[in-house]
Amino acid sequence: MQGWGAGHPAAVHFGLSENAEGHPMTVAYSHAHGLGEEQSIWFKLTPLMNQDNPMQLLMNLSEKYGGAFPVNLKNQRVVFLSDVEHFKRVLVENADNYIKYFDGMRPVFGKSMITIDGALWQKIRRPQQAAFHPQMFEEYFPFLMEAIRTKADKWSEYAKSGETVEMVEQTWTMAADMVCRALFDREMPFNPHFIFGMVKTYTDVMNHKEIRQKKTSGEIDEVDNEKAAQAMKHWAEMPDSVLGSAILENRDKTLLSMILEAEADPEFPEFDHQQVVDEMKQYLWAGTETTALTLAWSLYLLSQNPEAADKIRAEANEICGDGEPTWDQVAQLAYTRRVIQETMRLYPPIWCLMRVAAGDDEIEGHEIKKGDKIALCTYIVHHSPKYWTDPEEFRPDRFSPERMKKRTKYSYLPFAAGKRACIGGALSQIENMLALVTLLRRFQPEYVGDVPAKIQSTVTLCPKGGLPFRIRELS
């Protein structure tokens, strides 16, 4: 077994690591970083992640140290793993030893199933599982299309005005509308652009760092604290505002009806009203965020690869004719699906799966100690030449059926793997396929930002500074 003591060359101390070019880099840890979420790994990793190219830095370290290296964070250790055998061990073979990491998430998601584990997680997930069975997707289809049409009408206005829009905000607001209509059978009762700004204020790790550093140095502006407090106030009010909003069609089977039925079950005391509220928070943010980021990054990649956008239009014209896609046609949109899959390879919304070791273990000869935080770097595996030919190239046909059969298992994990795989992954892909086909046939979104777009890696893989676009309507 290979240990990782202080003298081991693979022990990257928080305070001395390397930059993207491989030169020594000082990453100072100060008390300011610990204010508020003192023990949160996401906050402590921020100086490491706040490099110009944080993913390249991690890929360099992974290559140098054979796919596994620890980062010492004062009194904690994060072990970064980036090999398919590592993923298999943590997510499947010894999954019970690796608990999902929750610190820093509960203020946003409460006690929803995204923040719990074990038997309780299984019990809370069970009544929701049926809402994500593929047979339910046909029922959701007209409501997904209505949300896309609403967004298309707004894009037509932007095309006429010529104004620049930020694409993640555009896709987030559409995805939130999809969740409300399809899963909750409700009109969206809030201004999604306002909520997008409010929740980003709270969940953006860099924003929190800035506030903490100002507070420690005596420079804090009350507006900073007030903004964060207001963000959480509006966020906490969202589920009840949805519950109180107009019902669209009073459908018997929706995700919301399923969780309300669980609340009404006298033999299910764990599923109280707060559980309903917290589960709704999970879908309104976590589900919306991953869908929105994938679609925004897809539009960025298609703007840089216009021939791929033309292929999507051609496929849609061949399959759908002059009309919108029907449910029966969705499965035939093979190239569009491959574009979404390739986007999630290049820009996985969840770039890192974080776990906590419940006990000692050994992974490919590396010693894991109880309490270690385990960072499974899906981004690194997705970009590894060990598993992908020319991994930095945008090539949707990697996901053709023939090539997928040859793919190394666990080399592609946009929705994790094992029992904690994302419950809404399949639905998210359909939402984005419908959005691409419908919007690209009517518009040509033109990216007007820096190339390549910079990455900000917090809990999710976001574009640093956003993705500015202008919308051109096609004749």
Side-chain angles (χ1 to χ4, degrees):
M1 181 182 293
Q2 181 179 354
W4 275 324
H8 192 278
V12 180
H13 292 273
F14 209 53
L16 181 64
S17 59
E18 299 173 345
N19 62 17
E21 287 72 39
H23 302 303
M25 175 187 70
T26 298
V27 185
Y29 180 89
S30 72
H31 174 67
H33 298 149
L35 294 175
E37 297 284 350
E38 185 173 354
Q39 298 302 316
S40 175
I41 293 300
W42 296 113
F43 288 91
K44 289 186 175 183
L45 280 175
T46 304
L48 186 65
M49 295 293 98
N50 193 29
Q51 308 301 309
D52 286 339
N53 195 338
M55 293 296 103
Q56 187 61 53
L57 165 63
L58 290 178
M59 287 194 292
N60 288 350
L61 290 169
S62 175
E63 182 179 5
K64 182 171 183 177
Y65 299 126
F69 61 92
V71 172
N72 295 321
L73 305 175
K74 199 175 180 180
N75 61 343
Q76 298 186 63
R77 187 174 74 158
V78 180
V79 179
F80 285 83
L81 301 176
S82 53
D83 186 88
V84 295
E85 291 301 320
H86 304 158
F87 291 6
K88 181 180 177 182
R89 177 67 178 174
V90 173
L91 297 175
V92 181
E93 291 181 344
N94 200 19
D96 290 342
N97 188 57
Y98 294 96
I99 303 165
K100 193 168 181 181
Y101 178 76
F102 308 123
D103 290 1
M105 300 172 72
R106 288 193 173 97
V108 179
F109 301 118
K111 57 176 183 173
S112 68
M113 66 177 177
I114 203 172
T115 67
I116 56 179
D117 216 329
L120 179 59
W121 167 78
Q122 291 178 321
K123 192 171 184 180
I124 294 297
R125 179 182 169 116
R126 194 171 298 122
Q128 305 176 59
Q129 186 70 49
F132 296 94
H133 192 281
Q135 290 181 348
M136 289 291 294
F137 297 168
E138 184 175 2
E139 294 189 30
Y140 300 153
F141 175 78
F143 303 97
L144 302 179
M145 290 302 299
E146 185 60 33
I148 296 168
R149 289 187 207 105
T150 299
K151 181 57 65 178
D153 290 342
K154 288 297 296 182
W155 277 23
S156 185
E157 295 176 16
Y158 296 141
K160 290 183 177 70
S161 69
E163 66 185 282
T164 299
V165 297
E166 199 286 298
M167 190 52 72
V168 177
E169 181 175 356
Q170 291 296 309
T171 56
W172 193 95
T173 52
M174 182 176 66
D177 196 13
M178 287 176 169
V179 168
C180 287
R181 291 175 183 272
L183 300 184
F184 298 156
D185 194 28
R186 297 292 196 277
E187 292 276 4
M188 186 165 53
F190 49 83
N191 180 336
H193 295 275
F194 175 74
I195 294 297
F196 174 81
M198 286 287 98
V199 179
K200 274 292 184 184
T201 296
Y202 186 84
T203 58
D204 189 333
V205 173
M206 289 308 302
N207 179 280
H208 275 259
K209 287 286 192 183
E210 210 169 281
I211 292 176
R212 290 185 178 87
Q213 288 167 334
K214 286 181 182 178
K215 189 171 182 179
T216 300
S217 63
E219 301 171 13
I220 190 70
D221 184 339
E222 285 188 16
V223 174
D224 291 326
N225 275 334
E226 181 64 22
K227 279 179 67 178
Q230 283 297 313
M232 289 313 292
K233 178 177 180 293
H234 288 293
W235 176 241
E237 293 170 350
M238 275 179 60
D240 281 326
S241 71
V242 172
L243 287 168
S245 65
I247 298 173
L248 289 175
E249 294 193 2
N250 204 22
R251 286 175 282 153
D252 291 334
K253 285 187 178 182
T254 65
L255 172 64
L256 182 56
S257 69
M258 292 173 190
I259 60 179
L260 288 174
E261 186 177 330
E263 179 193 11
D265 185 349
E267 297 184 4
F268 202 167
E270 298 93 340
F271 218 117
D272 55 14
H273 182 69
Q274 188 58 50
Q275 193 70 47
V276 172
V277 167
D278 290 343
E279 296 303 328
M280 292 177 71
K281 287 179 183 177
Q282 172 189 218
Y283 294 109
L284 283 165
W285 181 252
T288 297
E289 173 93 343
T290 51
T291 298
L293 285 170
T294 298
L295 183 55
W297 283 120
S298 293
L299 292 168
Y300 164 74
L301 287 167
L302 291 169
S303 74
Q304 304 304 299
N305 299 273
E307 70 286 352
D310 288 339
K311 284 185 179 181
I312 289 176
R313 295 184 181 103
E315 177 178 72
N317 290 338
E318 179 182 348
I319 292 170
C320 308
D322 294 334
E324 292 181 341
T326 64
W327 173 248
D328 292 337
Q329 293 168 337
V330 172
Q332 301 175 53
L333 299 169
Y335 184 76
T336 304
R337 181 185 295 275
R338 294 201 289 270
V339 167
I340 296 297
Q341 291 170 316
E342 175 70 342
T343 299
M344 290 189 290
R345 183 189 70 81
L346 287 167
Y347 295 100
I350 308 301
W351 65 272
C352 169
L353 304 171
M354 194 71 76
R355 299 290 188 267
V356 182
D360 295 349
D361 195 14
E362 180 182 344
I363 299 179
E364 293 291 293
H366 296 296
E367 184 181 18
I368 303 296
K369 290 291 188 182
K370 178 180 179 180
D372 280 348
K373 308 303 185 292
I374 308 299
L376 302 173
C377 294
T378 54
Y379 183 97
I380 297 178
V381 171
H382 286 192
H383 287 252
S384 173
K386 184 176 178 180
Y387 308 114
W388 306 91
T389 303
D390 298 322
E392 300 306 318
E393 297 292 323
F394 174 68
R395 296 182 182 176
D397 287 333
R398 298 178 199 274
F399 292 90
S400 65
E402 301 77 20
R403 294 188 185 182
M404 286 176 68
K405 289 177 184 177
K406 300 175 183 178
R407 189 174 70 220
T408 304
K409 199 170 184 180
Y410 305 112
S411 63
Y412 181 67
L413 297 177
F415 298 113
K419 64 181 182 179
R420 291 299 304 234
C422 176
I423 193 172
L427 178 59
S428 176
Q429 286 196 36
I430 289 173
E431 290 171 341
N432 282 330
M433 288 170 62
L434 293 173
L436 278 186
V437 164
T438 305
L439 295 173
L440 287 180
R441 296 177 82 191
R442 184 172 169 186
F443 303 97
Q444 182 168 314
E446 298 174 345
Y447 176 68
V448 294
D450 294 335
V451 177
K454 291 185 178 180
I455 288 173
Q456 179 176 332
S457 50
T458 56
V459 179
T460 53
L461 197 72
C462 301
K464 195 170 188 176
L467 293 172
F469 274 78
R470 290 197 185 95
I471 307 298
R472 184 166 70 84
E473 193 154 11
L474 299 174
S475 58

